[in-house]
Amino acid sequence: MSKVLSTLRYSAEHEWVDSSSPAKVGISQIAADALGDVVYVDLPEVGAAVTAGESCGEVESTKSVSDLYAPVTGTVVEINQEAVDNPALLNEDPYGAGWLFTVEVTEEGPLLSAQDYASANGGDVA
């Protein structure tokens, strides 16, 4: 079963966000496992405004292309160039080296606790 970290909160669209400032954003292991081998990541640009619940990029795997949704509203401060250059990091370490971007948060979207996200999507809280 896919791991869901208890220290993070999750969007219904499978993105995670931590509580740091700026907040770090990525996709859950559940999403990474469902996508299969990730081969391309399109992220918002530094300085771009993102809005909670709206598409802000794409994640492409050998199976499909999925929209990336912002879990929070704010301004993108940094992108993880390492994940852009090596998209397999999303599969290998979605909660660590596979993070996607950071946001200076002005408003949170509707977020789920780790327990609620795991219950809804069949993951194990760790």
Side-chain angles (χ1 to χ4, degrees):
M1 221 178 235
S2 298
K3 181 171 61 172
V4 175
L5 292 189
S6 63
T7 55
L8 303 173
R9 290 177 297 149
Y10 300 82
S11 70
E13 292 82 18
H14 307 289
E15 287 76 23
W16 59 260
V17 62
D18 69 11
S19 58
S20 63
S21 182
K24 199 173 275 188
V25 175
I27 64 168
S28 71
Q29 185 177 2
I30 290 171
D33 291 349
L35 283 166
D37 294 334
V38 177
V39 295
Y40 177 75
V41 181
D42 178 34
L43 300 177
E45 293 183 13
V46 171
V50 294
T51 302
E54 293 189 7
S55 178
C56 63
E58 290 182 340
V59 177
E60 184 176 336
S61 72
T62 54
K63 293 183 192 177
S64 66
V65 177
S66 296
D67 281 332
L68 180 64
Y69 293 92
V72 293
T73 297
T75 303
V76 176
V77 177
E78 180 184 11
I79 64 164
N80 183 356
Q81 190 61 48
E82 193 175 338
V84 172
D85 295 341
N86 181 14
L89 287 174
L90 277 72
N91 297 109
E92 295 165 10
D93 190 11
Y95 300 120
W99 65 275
L100 298 175
F101 57 93
T102 62
V103 178
E104 196 60 57
V105 178
T106 57
E107 186 177 333
E108 291 186 348
L111 297 172
L112 303 169
S113 69
Q115 188 60 51
D116 290 343
Y117 179 76
S119 294
N121 296 286
D124 279 333
V125 178

